[in-house]
Amino acid sequence: LAIHDDEKQLAELGVSEGDLIHCLTSWKVDTEKVDTDQQLSCFPHSCSVDGGRVVHVLGERFPASTRTVCRFGRLFVEARIEDEGVESGVSQLVCTAPAHPAGPVTVSVSFDGGATWLEGPTFWYLDPSSGACTRGIAVPAGCRGLEETVRCDITSGVRWGGDGGDGGGPGSGCV
């Protein structure tokens, strides 16, 4: 039904009782209020692979929307805007991280149910069974014997170089 047809009876359109009707509705977010170049941040920055942690996403200004969703990697979850940022200039929404395999994902936000997205920060899923390190990162076979050290150094941003020795020093191939 077009907008101008909303007052017609369904029978006038050839629809009878028991007919199956598929409806498509459109809903538009006022994109004038959404700065697509804004930098998003989130806290906390990580959770276990089981998910379930409440995550706050901050931005410059979020539009009022009942179709706000967050995406963790490729997984969608419902979100709720707590502050549109009209007065403070800082918007905040809340969502719950879903379960996900260990590693980094990008957190993204949509105000139109997933048709368009604002890309956000990196969020880490941690595997508590990976040992003493805080982030469960797969370690290449060439780094055997150094798994814990390499995992911990990778998560802190240290890159391993190599001198060709097998002790994990320079040239070890543990990059």
mmCIF file of all heavy atoms in Angstrom, residues 77-107:
data_model
loop_
_atom_site.group_PDB
_atom_site.id
_atom_site.type_symbol
_atom_site.label_atom_id
_atom_site.label_comp_id
_atom_site.label_asym_id
_atom_site.label_seq_id
_atom_site.Cartn_x
_atom_site.Cartn_y
_atom_site.Cartn_z
ATOM 1 N N VAL A 77 23.611 -7.489 17.901
ATOM 2 C CA VAL A 77 22.872 -7.504 19.170
ATOM 3 C C VAL A 77 22.088 -6.210 19.291
ATOM 4 O O VAL A 77 22.451 -5.189 18.708
ATOM 5 C CB VAL A 77 23.804 -7.669 20.399
ATOM 6 C CG1 VAL A 77 24.466 -9.028 20.410
ATOM 7 C CG2 VAL A 77 24.835 -6.565 20.474
ATOM 8 N N GLU A 78 20.997 -6.264 20.042
ATOM 9 C CA GLU A 78 20.202 -5.054 20.275
ATOM 10 C C GLU A 78 21.000 -4.066 21.107
ATOM 11 O O GLU A 78 21.862 -4.459 21.895
ATOM 12 C CB GLU A 78 18.907 -5.409 20.993
ATOM 13 C CG GLU A 78 17.934 -6.184 20.143
ATOM 14 C CD GLU A 78 16.636 -6.464 20.881
ATOM 15 O OE1 GLU A 78 16.352 -5.806 21.908
ATOM 16 O OE2 GLU A 78 15.903 -7.340 20.415
ATOM 17 N N ALA A 79 20.698 -2.796 20.918
ATOM 18 C CA ALA A 79 21.364 -1.741 21.682
ATOM 19 C C ALA A 79 20.332 -0.723 22.125
ATOM 20 O O ALA A 79 19.252 -0.617 21.540
ATOM 21 C CB ALA A 79 22.439 -1.077 20.837
ATOM 22 N N ARG A 80 20.679 0.019 23.160
ATOM 23 C CA ARG A 80 19.788 1.038 23.702
ATOM 24 C C ARG A 80 20.579 2.320 23.877
ATOM 25 O O ARG A 80 21.651 2.321 24.483
ATOM 26 C CB ARG A 80 19.235 0.546 25.032
ATOM 27 C CG ARG A 80 18.382 1.529 25.777
ATOM 28 C CD ARG A 80 17.838 0.938 27.080
ATOM 29 N NE ARG A 80 18.772 0.155 27.863
ATOM 30 C CZ ARG A 80 19.633 0.664 28.743
ATOM 31 N NH1 ARG A 80 19.682 1.961 28.944
ATOM 32 N NH2 ARG A 80 20.439 -0.108 29.435
ATOM 33 N N ILE A 81 20.057 3.420 23.352
ATOM 34 C CA ILE A 81 20.716 4.710 23.516
ATOM 35 C C ILE A 81 20.397 5.238 24.909
ATOM 36 O O ILE A 81 19.232 5.342 25.283
ATOM 37 C CB ILE A 81 20.262 5.717 22.439
ATOM 38 C CG1 ILE A 81 20.711 5.226 21.060
ATOM 39 C CG2 ILE A 81 20.811 7.111 22.732
ATOM 40 C CD1 ILE A 81 20.248 6.076 19.905
ATOM 41 N N GLU A 82 21.441 5.523 25.683
ATOM 42 C CA GLU A 82 21.256 6.080 27.022
ATOM 43 C C GLU A 82 21.303 7.597 27.005
ATOM 44 O O GLU A 82 20.666 8.242 27.812
ATOM 45 C CB GLU A 82 22.330 5.549 27.976
ATOM 46 C CG GLU A 82 22.097 4.122 28.377
ATOM 47 C CD GLU A 82 22.946 3.725 29.569
ATOM 48 O OE1 GLU A 82 24.037 4.295 29.762
ATOM 49 O OE2 GLU A 82 22.505 2.835 30.301
ATOM 50 N N ASP A 83 22.111 8.169 26.110
ATOM 51 C CA ASP A 83 22.248 9.622 26.024
ATOM 52 C C ASP A 83 22.516 9.975 24.568
ATOM 53 O O ASP A 83 23.473 9.489 23.972
ATOM 54 C CB ASP A 83 23.403 10.098 26.912
ATOM 55 C CG ASP A 83 23.539 11.615 26.976
ATOM 56 O OD1 ASP A 83 22.892 12.323 26.179
ATOM 57 O OD2 ASP A 83 24.313 12.094 27.824
ATOM 58 N N GLU A 84 21.652 10.807 23.978
ATOM 59 C CA GLU A 84 21.809 11.200 22.581
ATOM 60 C C GLU A 84 22.941 12.199 22.385
ATOM 61 O O GLU A 84 23.352 12.462 21.261
ATOM 62 C CB GLU A 84 20.510 11.794 22.045
ATOM 63 C CG GLU A 84 19.386 10.796 21.970
ATOM 64 C CD GLU A 84 18.077 11.458 21.594
ATOM 65 O OE1 GLU A 84 18.090 12.580 21.053
ATOM 66 O OE2 GLU A 84 17.035 10.847 21.852
ATOM 67 N N GLY A 85 23.417 12.806 23.446
ATOM 68 C CA GLY A 85 24.519 13.755 23.342
ATOM 69 C C GLY A 85 24.110 15.153 22.948
ATOM 70 O O GLY A 85 24.953 15.966 22.589
ATOM 71 N N VAL A 86 22.818 15.470 22.991
ATOM 72 C CA VAL A 86 22.333 16.789 22.593
ATOM 73 C C VAL A 86 22.940 17.878 23.468
ATOM 74 O O VAL A 86 23.436 18.878 22.978
ATOM 75 C CB VAL A 86 20.786 16.847 22.641
ATOM 76 C CG1 VAL A 86 20.284 18.241 22.349
ATOM 77 C CG2 VAL A 86 20.196 15.845 21.664
ATOM 78 N N GLU A 87 22.926 17.668 24.776
ATOM 79 C CA GLU A 87 23.439 18.688 25.691
ATOM 80 C C GLU A 87 24.949 18.597 25.879
ATOM 81 O O GLU A 87 25.649 19.595 25.848
ATOM 82 C CB GLU A 87 22.750 18.573 27.053
ATOM 83 C CG GLU A 87 21.286 18.947 26.989
ATOM 84 C CD GLU A 87 20.615 18.807 28.338
ATOM 85 O OE1 GLU A 87 21.313 18.860 29.369
ATOM 86 O OE2 GLU A 87 19.391 18.658 28.348
ATOM 87 N N SER A 88 25.463 17.390 26.063
ATOM 88 C CA SER A 88 26.875 17.222 26.403
ATOM 89 C C SER A 88 27.784 17.093 25.185
ATOM 90 O O SER A 88 28.987 17.291 25.297
ATOM 91 C CB SER A 88 27.053 15.987 27.282
ATOM 92 O OG SER A 88 26.748 14.819 26.534
ATOM 93 N N GLY A 89 27.235 16.700 24.046
ATOM 94 C CA GLY A 89 28.061 16.446 22.872
ATOM 95 C C GLY A 89 28.678 15.058 22.871
ATOM 96 O O GLY A 89 29.388 14.683 21.961
ATOM 97 N N VAL A 90 28.395 14.269 23.912
ATOM 98 C CA VAL A 90 28.888 12.895 23.990
ATOM 99 C C VAL A 90 27.688 11.967 24.107
ATOM 100 O O VAL A 90 26.943 12.024 25.081
ATOM 101 C CB VAL A 90 29.837 12.681 25.196
ATOM 102 C CG1 VAL A 90 30.268 11.228 25.270
ATOM 103 C CG2 VAL A 90 31.028 13.609 25.110
ATOM 104 N N SER A 91 27.498 11.135 23.097
ATOM 105 C CA SER A 91 26.403 10.171 23.100
ATOM 106 C C SER A 91 26.880 8.861 23.685
ATOM 107 O O SER A 91 28.053 8.512 23.581
ATOM 108 C CB SER A 91 25.921 9.915 21.671
ATOM 109 O OG SER A 91 25.381 11.073 21.110
ATOM 110 N N GLN A 92 25.937 8.118 24.274
ATOM 111 C CA GLN A 92 26.288 6.824 24.832
ATOM 112 C C GLN A 92 25.159 5.838 24.564
ATOM 113 O O GLN A 92 23.993 6.157 24.724
ATOM 114 C CB GLN A 92 26.532 6.930 26.332
ATOM 115 C CG GLN A 92 26.884 5.617 26.962
ATOM 116 C CD GLN A 92 27.266 5.744 28.422
ATOM 117 O OE1 GLN A 92 28.213 5.132 28.832
ATOM 118 N NE2 GLN A 92 26.535 6.507 29.214
ATOM 119 N N LEU A 93 25.556 4.643 24.119
ATOM 120 C CA LEU A 93 24.593 3.557 23.987
ATOM 121 C C LEU A 93 25.144 2.341 24.694
ATOM 122 O O LEU A 93 26.345 2.259 24.976
ATOM 123 C CB LEU A 93 24.234 3.277 22.534
ATOM 124 C CG LEU A 93 25.294 2.781 21.568
ATOM 125 C CD1 LEU A 93 25.456 1.272 21.656
ATOM 126 C CD2 LEU A 93 24.903 3.156 20.159
ATOM 127 N N VAL A 94 24.256 1.408 25.000
ATOM 128 C CA VAL A 94 24.619 0.215 25.753
ATOM 129 C C VAL A 94 24.147 -1.014 24.992
ATOM 130 O O VAL A 94 23.041 -1.034 24.439
ATOM 131 C CB VAL A 94 23.956 0.236 27.150
ATOM 132 C CG1 VAL A 94 24.259 -1.026 27.906
ATOM 133 C CG2 VAL A 94 24.409 1.443 27.925
ATOM 134 N N CYS A 95 25.009 -2.027 24.951
ATOM 135 C CA CYS A 95 24.642 -3.307 24.371
ATOM 136 C C CYS A 95 25.370 -4.396 25.150
ATOM 137 O O CYS A 95 26.237 -4.100 25.971
ATOM 138 C CB CYS A 95 24.969 -3.366 22.879
ATOM 139 S SG CYS A 95 26.687 -3.029 22.474
ATOM 140 N N THR A 96 25.033 -5.638 24.893
ATOM 141 C CA THR A 96 25.668 -6.759 25.574
ATOM 142 C C THR A 96 26.445 -7.579 24.559
ATOM 143 O O THR A 96 25.895 -7.992 23.535
ATOM 144 C CB THR A 96 24.610 -7.641 26.273
ATOM 145 O OG1 THR A 96 23.878 -6.816 27.188
ATOM 146 C CG2 THR A 96 25.253 -8.782 27.028
ATOM 147 N N ALA A 97 27.729 -7.786 24.838
ATOM 148 C CA ALA A 97 28.589 -8.542 23.915
ATOM 149 C C ALA A 97 28.089 -9.982 23.806
ATOM 150 O O ALA A 97 27.857 -10.635 24.824
ATOM 151 C CB ALA A 97 30.031 -8.514 24.405
ATOM 152 N N PRO A 98 27.936 -10.490 22.573
ATOM 153 C CA PRO A 98 27.523 -11.882 22.403
ATOM 154 C C PRO A 98 28.728 -12.811 22.565
ATOM 155 O O PRO A 98 29.871 -12.357 22.541
ATOM 156 C CB PRO A 98 27.017 -11.902 20.951
ATOM 157 C CG PRO A 98 27.879 -10.885 20.267
ATOM 158 C CD PRO A 98 28.096 -9.796 21.294
ATOM 159 N N ALA A 99 28.480 -14.088 22.705
ATOM 160 C CA ALA A 99 29.570 -15.066 22.724
ATOM 161 C C ALA A 99 30.272 -15.019 21.361
ATOM 162 O O ALA A 99 29.629 -14.789 20.323
ATOM 163 C CB ALA A 99 29.020 -16.459 22.991
ATOM 164 N N HIS A 100 31.594 -15.219 21.364
ATOM 165 C CA HIS A 100 32.377 -15.121 20.128
ATOM 166 C C HIS A 100 33.712 -15.823 20.352
ATOM 167 O O HIS A 100 34.224 -15.813 21.460
ATOM 168 C CB HIS A 100 32.602 -13.639 19.806
ATOM 169 C CG HIS A 100 33.118 -13.381 18.434
ATOM 170 N ND1 HIS A 100 34.437 -13.574 18.086
ATOM 171 C CD2 HIS A 100 32.499 -12.935 17.332
ATOM 172 C CE1 HIS A 100 34.595 -13.249 16.813
ATOM 173 N NE2 HIS A 100 33.439 -12.873 16.336
ATOM 174 N N PRO A 101 34.303 -16.408 19.313
ATOM 175 C CA PRO A 101 35.634 -17.007 19.471
ATOM 176 C C PRO A 101 36.676 -15.959 19.886
ATOM 177 O O PRO A 101 36.503 -14.765 19.636
ATOM 178 C CB PRO A 101 35.949 -17.551 18.069
ATOM 179 C CG PRO A 101 34.620 -17.727 17.417
ATOM 180 C CD PRO A 101 33.752 -16.637 17.971
ATOM 181 N N ALA A 102 37.765 -16.408 20.503
ATOM 182 C CA ALA A 102 38.822 -15.517 20.980
ATOM 183 C C ALA A 102 39.439 -14.719 19.835
ATOM 184 O O ALA A 102 39.555 -15.199 18.713
ATOM 185 C CB ALA A 102 39.907 -16.325 21.681
ATOM 186 N N GLY A 103 39.807 -13.482 20.161
ATOM 187 C CA GLY A 103 40.491 -12.625 19.204
ATOM 188 C C GLY A 103 39.816 -11.276 19.082
ATOM 189 O O GLY A 103 38.822 -10.996 19.760
ATOM 190 N N PRO A 104 40.361 -10.421 18.227
ATOM 191 C CA PRO A 104 39.820 -9.073 18.063
ATOM 192 C C PRO A 104 38.668 -9.025 17.066
ATOM 193 O O PRO A 104 38.643 -9.784 16.101
ATOM 194 C CB PRO A 104 41.020 -8.288 17.517
ATOM 195 C CG PRO A 104 41.783 -9.315 16.731
ATOM 196 C CD PRO A 104 41.613 -10.607 17.492
ATOM 197 N N VAL A 105 37.693 -8.155 17.330
ATOM 198 C CA VAL A 105 36.606 -7.873 16.390
ATOM 199 C C VAL A 105 36.393 -6.365 16.374
ATOM 200 O O VAL A 105 36.817 -5.666 17.283
ATOM 201 C CB VAL A 105 35.275 -8.568 16.774
ATOM 202 C CG1 VAL A 105 35.408 -10.074 16.744
ATOM 203 C CG2 VAL A 105 34.761 -8.097 18.110
ATOM 204 N N THR A 106 35.732 -5.879 15.359
ATOM 205 C CA THR A 106 35.376 -4.469 15.300
ATOM 206 C C THR A 106 33.960 -4.304 15.836
ATOM 207 O O THR A 106 33.067 -5.066 15.480
ATOM 208 C CB THR A 106 35.434 -3.949 13.845
ATOM 209 O OG1 THR A 106 36.771 -4.099 13.368
ATOM 210 C CG2 THR A 106 35.021 -2.491 13.755
ATOM 211 N N VAL A 107 33.774 -3.313 16.703
ATOM 212 C CA VAL A 107 32.441 -2.973 17.193
ATOM 213 C C VAL A 107 31.891 -1.899 16.269
ATOM 214 O O VAL A 107 32.557 -0.894 16.009
ATOM 215 C CB VAL A 107 32.481 -2.440 18.644
ATOM 216 C CG1 VAL A 107 31.098 -1.973 19.076
ATOM 217 C CG2 VAL A 107 33.005 -3.495 19.589
#
